[in-house]
């Protein structure tokens, strides 16, 4: 096993936890008192995407553009699950510094028939010092009352490229 | 997801520009006149910027902030963040009156992205972050966490 920088960072973050006030915040006595809560997340879904052959546009002013048509997929989570509708895309751009920018738009259909628009921006840095860094910032929009909670949250995602396609582990920022 | 504190940013606000209700919601543009940020790897002052806010029909306030940061050692950094703020009506009303409110009683989260040409701070170009906001009377304070 390689000793990866990111693992060291994780340990540092865990070690620092007791120093952060994770219990509900109290109103500070003085505006100068700095109270911090650690960022907390909880599972939202695991999203698997099926992609068609890419559209390779070549180098433009923002970098090398490769567009991934998304033909389907699934999402699984305790609060929502279903399938990815065909017709979405991920518009990717490799920047001058080698980092890949992602810009995805897809429509999700839950098993009980609700449609949810999902977008994310993200970055994938395969040459990051501590190992590949692939993170996204998903957002959702829906008219279905049952899933309206998605309109009111921010989320973070960790991406992986597996043999059968990209997989994104999405978590709600609580 | 694992994260670690990157910096804590406090901004000062100018008089809000109230544009009224447009097709997407009620738009209020809040100039950012200054501020400072402090953290293990990132400290300095806020040069200026603004927050283009939009109150949606469902009561959620969308935030769209852009500021220029200047580090203590002179690097300029562009920060842009999208965010959401919402909570129980009485809490939001208290915030509107400029009262100090426990930030755990409402949702105020943003997703900052950074962009700089300064080599020392190039790591900021290559990370995503989440901020936890605390709307104090004298201006918002954001605890910004790098996603690990």
């Amino acid at each position: 096993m390689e000793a990866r920088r990111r693992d060291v960072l994780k340990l540092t973050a865990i070690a620092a936890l007791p120093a952060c006030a994770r219990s509900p915040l109290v109103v500070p006595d003085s505006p100068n008192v700095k109270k911090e809560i650690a960022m907390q997340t909880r599972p939202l879904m695991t999203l698997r995407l099926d992609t068609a052959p890419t559209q390779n546009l070549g180098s433009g002013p923002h970098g090398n553009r490769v567009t991934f048509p998304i033909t389907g997929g699934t999402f699984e989570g305790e609060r929502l699950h279903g399938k990815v509708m065909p017709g979405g895309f991920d518009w990717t751009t490799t920047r001058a510094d080698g980092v890949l920018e992602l810009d995805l738009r897809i429509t999700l259909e839950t098993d009980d028939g609700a449609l949810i628009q999902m977008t994310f921006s993200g970055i994938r840095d395969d040459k990051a010092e501590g190992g590949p860094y692939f993170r996204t910032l998903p957002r959702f929009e829906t008219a279905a009352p049952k899933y309206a909670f998605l309109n009111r949250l921010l989320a973070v995602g960790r991406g992986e490229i597996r043999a059968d396609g990209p997989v994104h582990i999405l978590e709600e920022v609580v | 997801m694992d994260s670690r504190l990157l910096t804590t940013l406090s901004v000062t606000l100018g008089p809000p520009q109230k544009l009224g209700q447009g097709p997407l919601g009620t738009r209020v543009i809040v100039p950012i006149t200054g501020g400072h940020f402090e953290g293990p790897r990132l400290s300095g002052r806020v040069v200026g910027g603004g927050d283009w806010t939009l109150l949606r029909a469902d009561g959620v306030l969308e935030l769209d902030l852009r500021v220029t940061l200047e580090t203590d050692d002179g690097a300029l950094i562009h920060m842009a963040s999208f965010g959401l703020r919402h909570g129980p009506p009485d809490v939001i009303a208290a915030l509107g009156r400029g009262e100090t409110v426990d930030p755990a009683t409402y949702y105020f989260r943003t997703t900052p992205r950074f962009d700089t040409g300064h080599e020392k701070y190039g790591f900021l170009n290559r990370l995503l972050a989440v901020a936890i906001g605390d709307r104090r009377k004298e201006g918002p304070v954001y605890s910004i966490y790098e996603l690990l």
Side-chain angles (χ1 to χ4, degrees), chain A residues 121-140:
Chain A
S121 63
I123 59 174
R124 185 175 143 197
D125 182 4
D126 286 337
K127 295 191 173 120
E129 222 178 284
Y133 184 80
F134 187 1
R135 301 288 182 271
T136 62
L137 300 171
R139 290 181 53 195
F140 304 93

Side-chain angles (χ1 to χ4, degrees), chain A residues 65-101:
Chain A
R65 282 198 178 274
V66 176
T67 303
F68 292 78
I70 292 164
T71 53
T74 60
F75 58 98
E76 290 290 336
E78 206 173 281
R79 287 175 283 170
L80 69 167
H81 38 84
K83 61 180 201 306
V84 178
M85 297 182 78
F89 288 89
D90 189 356
W91 289 269
T92 75
T93 311
T94 302
R95 310 188 314 208
D97 63 357
V99 174
L100 183 79
E101 292 261 356

Side-chain angles (χ1 to χ4, degrees), chain A residues 9-10 13 25 31 36-37 39 41 95 97 101 123 125 133 135 139 151-152 154 171 173-174, chain B residues 1-4 8 56 58 82 86 100 102-103 107 109 113 125-126 128 130 136 138 145 147-148:
Chain A
L9 294 182
K10 277 180 193 167
L25 282 184
E36 276 155 16
I37 36 174
M39 190 199 88
T41 57
R95 310 188 314 208
D97 63 357
E101 292 261 356
I123 59 174
D125 182 4
Y133 184 80
R135 301 288 182 271
R139 290 181 53 195
N151 295 330
R152 308 166 74 87
L154 294 183
E171 295 179 11
V173 177
V174 293
Chain B
M1 184 175 291
D2 294 313
S3 62
R4 67 165 168 171
T8 303
R56 307 190 316 211
D58 64 354
F82 177 82
H86 57 81
T100 303
D102 178 349
Y107 190 83
R109 303 286 183 269
R113 301 259 340 240
N125 296 330
R126 309 166 85 92
L128 296 186
V130 165
R136 302 201 185 164
E138 56 285 1
Y145 293 86
L147 299 183
L148 296 180

